[in-house]
C-alpha cells in the first residue's frame, strides 16, 4: 500500500496544517518585533524590554507542561475531543490579549514611568502565553493520534511547518506594506528610523494578524474530527477494535523502517513520571531546545542586527525575514523525500551545515549590505530543516504512547521557553548601551550576537545529534528489560 493511501485525506491534512496558523502569526510578531517595538518604538530600556520577553517565556514555560498534563487527563468538553477543547480555549485567550501587547498602554503618555507601563503589559502577556501554549500543545499532540506510520508524521509535520512559513511570510509582507504606506505619507527625512510614530503600524499589524488567524482556526475546528478515547469500542465493540487493528497493520505493511515494531507482548502505557526516567527523553529535549534557540534567537535579533549593525532602513526588518521564510517554505516541500532517502539525522545535519554557513558569513563579512539577502536564504532554509526534523523526532519518541504525548511536547517546550527567555535576558543585560539610540559599541554587539546564537548554538545541537547517533533512541517500558526489537529508534 502506498504512502498516500495510508495517510490522511488531503482536506484533513490541510485542516490540521492551518490549526496553528494563528499561533504562528502571533509568534512571528512576538519574536521578530517585540524587542524592536518596546525598545525602539516605545523607548523602553534594554533590560525592561528583556524583562517583558522573559516574563512571557517563563509564563509559557510554566503553562506548557501543566497544560500538557491536564490535556492528557481531561476528557474534553461534551462531544468535543480533549485536544480540540484545549485548542479552542487557547485560541480565545490569544485573540483577547494579543492586540494589547503591540500598542501603547491605555492612558499612558511620555511622562508615565516605565515601571508602570511594564506592570500594564505583563497581565496581557501572561494571558497570551497561556493561550499560545494551550493551542501549541493540543495541536502537536494530535499528530501521533491522527497518523501512526513514520513518514506520515514527517509529512504532517512538514505541512504544519509549511503553514508556519506562510504565516511568517504573511506577517512580513503586511509589515512591509504598512511601512511602505507610512513612508508615502511621511515627508520626514528621518522616516527610516523607528520611533513613536510607528506605533500605529504595529497596532494595525497585530489587528490584521488576529483577524486572519481567527478565520484559519475556525477552518481547523470545522475540518478536523478528533476521535475520543473509547469511542470506537463503545460504538462498535469488537468490530471497532478489530478495524483499528487492521488499520495499524496496513500502515506497518511495506514500511522499511517502522517507528515502533510491534511485538507479541504489548508495552504498558508510559505516564509522565516514567518519561522522566527515559534517557532518550533528555536526548530529544536537548536537541529540540538547541533547535528552538537557533530559530527563535536568530528571529529575535535579526531586526536589531539589520538596523544597528548593518545600518539598513527599517523596511529591511520586513523584507529580510520575508526572504528567510520564503526559502524555508520552499525547503519544507522536499523534507519528506530527503528524510526518506538519507534518514532524519543526516537531514538535520544538512540543516546545521546551512546554519553554520550563515554564521561564518556574518562573522567574516562585516559590511554585508545587500548581500544579506543571500545569507538570509541560508538561515531560512537551515532553520526550516532543523525545526521540522526535531519535531518529527519528538513525534517518533512518543510513538504509540499518545495518552501522554501532550506531556512530552509540554516538557520539550518548557525547556525551550526557559532557555530562550534566559538567553534573551542575558543578552539584554550585556548590552553596552544604556540609551534608546544605538551607541557605537552596539554595532559590534549585535554582530557578535548573531554569530553566537547561530553558529555557537549549532555546535550544541550537533553534539545532541551525535548522542542520538551513538545511543539510538529507545523507549524502555516500565518493569520490562530493554529489547532492541521493542525499541523505537530514530534513523
Amino acid at each position: 500500500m502506498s504512502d498516500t493511501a495510508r495517510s490522511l485525506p488531503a482536506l484533513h491534512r490541510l485542516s490540521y496544517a492551518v490549526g496553528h496558523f494563528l499561533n504562528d502569526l502571533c509568534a512571528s510578531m512576538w519574536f521578530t518585533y517585540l524587542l524592536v517595538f518596546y525598545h525602539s518604538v516605545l523607548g523602553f530600556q534594554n533590560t525592561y524590554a528583556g524583562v517583558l520577553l522573559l516574563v512571557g517565556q517563563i509564563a509559557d514555560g510554566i503553562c506548557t507542561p501543566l497544560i500538557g498534563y491536564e490535556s492528557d487527563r481531561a476528557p474534553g468538553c461534551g462531544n468535543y475531543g480533549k485536544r480540540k477543547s484545549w485548542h479552542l480555549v487557547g485560541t480565545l485567550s490569544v485573540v483577547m490579549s494579543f492586540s494589547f501587547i503591540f500598542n501603547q498602554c491605555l492612558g499612558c503618555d511620555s511622562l508615565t514611568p516605565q515601571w508602570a507601563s511594564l506592570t500594564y503589559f505583563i497581565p496581557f502577556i501572561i494571558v497570551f502565553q497561556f493561550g499560545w501554549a494551550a493551542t501549541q500543545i493540543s495541536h502537536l499532540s494530535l499528530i501521533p493520534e491522527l497518523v501512526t506510520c513514520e513518514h506520515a508524521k514527517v509529512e504532517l509535520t512538514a505541512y504544519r511547518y509549511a503553514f508556519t512559513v506562510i504565516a511568517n511570510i504573511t506577517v512580513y509582507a503586511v509589515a512591509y506594506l504598512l511601512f511602505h504606506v507610512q513612508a508615502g505619507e511621511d515627508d520626514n527625512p528621518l522616516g527610516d528610523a523607528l520611533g513613536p510614530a510607528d506605533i500605529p503600524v504595529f497596532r494595525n499589524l497585530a489587528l490584521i494578524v488576529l483577524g486572519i488567524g481567527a478565520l484559519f482556526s475556525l477552518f481547523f475546528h470545522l475540518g478536523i474530527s478528533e476521535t475520543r478515547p473509547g469511542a470506537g469500542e463503545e460504538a462498535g465493540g469488537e468490530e471497532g477494535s478489530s478495524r483499528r487493528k487492521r488499520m495499524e497493520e496496513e500502515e506497518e505493511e511495506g514500511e522499511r523502517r517502522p517507528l515502533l515494531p510491534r511485538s507479541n507482548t504489548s508495552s504498558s502505557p508510559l505516564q509522565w513520571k516514567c518519561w522522566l526516567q527515559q534517557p532518550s527523553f533528555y536526548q530529544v529535549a536537548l536537541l529540540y531546545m538547541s533547535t528552538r534557540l537557533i530559530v527563535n534567537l536568530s528571529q529575535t535579533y535579526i531586526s536589531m542586527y539589520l538596523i544597528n549593525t548593518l545600518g539598513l532602513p527599517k523596511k529591511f526588518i520586513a523584507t529580510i525575514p520575508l526572504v528567510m521564510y520564503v526559502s524555508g517554505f520552499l525547503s519544507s516541500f522536499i523534507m519528506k523525500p530527503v528524510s526518506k532517502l538519507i534518514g532524519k539525522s543526516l537531514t538535520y545535519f544538512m540543516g546545521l551545515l546551512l546554519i553554520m554557513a550563515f554564521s561564518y558569513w556574518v562573522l567574516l563579512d562585516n559590511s554585508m549590505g545587500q548581500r544579506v539577502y543571500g545569507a538570509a536564504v541560508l538561515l531560512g532554509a537551515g532553520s526550516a530543516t532543523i525545526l521540522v526534523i526535531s519535531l518529527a523526532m519528538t513525534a517518533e519518541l512518543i510513538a504509540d504512547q499518545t495518552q501522554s504525548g501532550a506531556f512530552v511536547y509540554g516538557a520539550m517546550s518548557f525547556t525551550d521557553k526557559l532557555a530562550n527567555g534566559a538567553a534573551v535576558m542575558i543578552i539584554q543585560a550585556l548590552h553596552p548601551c544604556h540609551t534608546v539610540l544605538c551607541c557605537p559599541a552596539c554595532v559590534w554587539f549585535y554582530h557578535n550576537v548573531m554569530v553566537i546564537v547561530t553558529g555557537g548554538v549549532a555546535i550544541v545541537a550537533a553534539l545532541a545529534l551525535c548522542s542520538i547517533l551513538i545511543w539510538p533512541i529507545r523507549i524502555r517500558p516500565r518493569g520490562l528489560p530493554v529489547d532492541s526489537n521493542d525499541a523505537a529508534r530514530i534513523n
Side-chain angles (χ1 to χ4, degrees), residues 86-408:
W86 277 99
H87 189 282
L88 181 60
V89 171
T91 299
L92 294 177
S93 300
V94 170
V95 169
M96 290 187 298
S97 60
F98 188 71
S99 60
F100 292 95
I101 297 175
F102 284 91
N103 198 1
Q104 192 172 23
C105 65
L106 300 178
C108 296
D109 55 27
S110 58
L111 299 178
T112 303
Q114 289 192 1
W115 65 264
S117 300
L118 195 75
T119 306
Y120 170 87
F121 287 114
I122 285 177
F124 293 110
I125 289 176
I126 292 175
V127 173
F128 162 68
Q129 292 293 352
F130 165 80
W132 200 95
T135 306
Q136 180 201 35
I137 295 305
S138 57
H139 192 255
L140 284 173
S141 301
L142 278 171
I143 294 180
E145 297 187 5
L146 294 175
V147 294
T148 57
C149 74
E150 176 182 357
H151 298 301
K153 292 179 181 178
V154 177
E155 180 185 33
L156 208 56
T157 306
Y159 283 138
R160 180 182 186 273
Y161 186 77
F163 274 92
T164 298
V165 174
I166 294 175
N168 283 273
I169 291 173
T170 301
V171 169
Y172 301 134
V174 173
Y176 176 78
L177 291 176
L178 292 175
F179 280 126
H180 183 73
V181 170
Q182 182 199 48
E185 299 174 350
D186 191 2
D187 297 329
N188 186 356
L190 299 178
D192 282 336
L194 288 170
D198 296 299
I199 292 177
V201 172
F202 288 95
R203 181 190 62 227
N204 295 336
L205 180 59
L207 293 175
I208 293 172
V209 158
L210 289 178
I212 297 174
L215 290 177
F216 279 92
S217 296
L218 179 62
F219 183 71
F220 164 79
H221 281 274
L222 295 177
I224 287 292
S225 298
E226 180 184 355
T227 303
R228 301 193 65 193
E233 289 82 350
E234 294 174 3
E238 295 180 358
E239 180 182 354
S241 178
S242 61
R243 186 186 305 114
R244 188 171 62 254
K245 184 176 181 181
R246 282 199 308 271
M247 290 175 61
E248 291 180 356
E249 290 175 352
E250 288 176 355
E251 287 184 347
E252 289 178 8
E253 182 182 357
E255 193 73 45
R256 290 178 295 175
R257 293 187 296 274
L259 172 62
L260 188 62
R262 303 294 196 266
S263 60
N264 296 330
T265 60
S266 60
S267 60
S268 59
L270 291 178
Q271 302 303 320
W272 69 273
K273 293 181 180 179
C274 302
W275 279 111
L276 298 179
Q277 300 171 4
Q278 299 287 335
S280 299
F281 177 80
Y282 298 98
Q283 287 178 284
V284 177
L286 178 61
L287 186 76
Y288 183 77
M289 181 190 71
S290 303
T291 301
R292 280 295 186 179
L293 280 173
I294 294 172
V295 174
N296 292 344
L297 291 180
S298 62
Q299 188 177 2
T300 299
Y301 285 100
I302 188 68
S303 298
M304 296 293 196
Y305 171 72
L306 295 171
I307 294 175
N308 296 315
T309 300
L310 299 183
L312 298 173
K314 62 184 179 183
K315 69 177 183 179
F316 277 80
I317 68 175
T319 56
I320 293 301
L322 181 62
V323 170
M324 288 170 51
Y325 281 95
V326 167
S327 63
F329 176 74
L330 296 177
S331 65
S332 67
F333 287 107
I334 64 173
M335 212 71 67
K336 181 184 178 181
V338 171
S339 66
K340 289 183 67 175
L341 181 64
I342 64 176
K344 283 176 289 301
S345 292
L346 286 180
T347 306
Y348 186 92
F349 183 70
M350 288 178 57
L352 284 183
L353 290 180
L354 295 176
I355 299 293
M356 293 294 293
F358 167 83
S359 178
Y360 284 123
W361 193 341
V362 173
L363 178 65
L364 299 177
D365 196 346
N366 297 329
S367 55
M368 196 174 296
Q370 297 294 328
R371 293 187 296 275
V372 71
Y373 284 105
V377 171
L378 295 178
L379 182 59
S383 298
T385 302
I386 62 176
L387 185 57
V388 167
I389 298 302
S390 65
L391 287 172
M393 287 181 173
T394 306
E396 291 189 10
L397 172 68
I398 296 171
D400 56 358
Q401 302 288 340
T402 57
Q403 77 290 337
S404 57
F407 170 78
V408 176

Side-chain angles (χ1 to χ4, degrees), residues 65-80:
L66 295 178
I67 291 172
Y69 177 71
E70 287 297 325
S71 177
D72 288 331
R73 293 174 66 247
C77 299
N79 293 327
Y80 227 48

Side-chain angles (χ1 to χ4, degrees), residues 435-491:
T435 59
V436 175
L437 297 177
C438 180
C439 63
C442 84
V443 174
W444 283 103
F445 177 77
Y446 288 116
H447 174 269
N448 295 332
V449 166
M450 286 304 300
V451 172
I452 294 173
V453 301
T454 53
V457 182
I459 295 176
V460 178
L463 294 177
L465 182 64
C466 289
S467 74
I468 293 176
L469 293 173
I470 297 173
W471 299 286
I473 292 179
R474 296 180 175 89
I475 296 179
R476 294 169 172 81
R478 187 178 182 183
L480 295 177
V482 178
D483 186 355
S484 60
N485 292 328
D486 296 331
R489 301 190 178 190
I490 291 179
N491 296 315

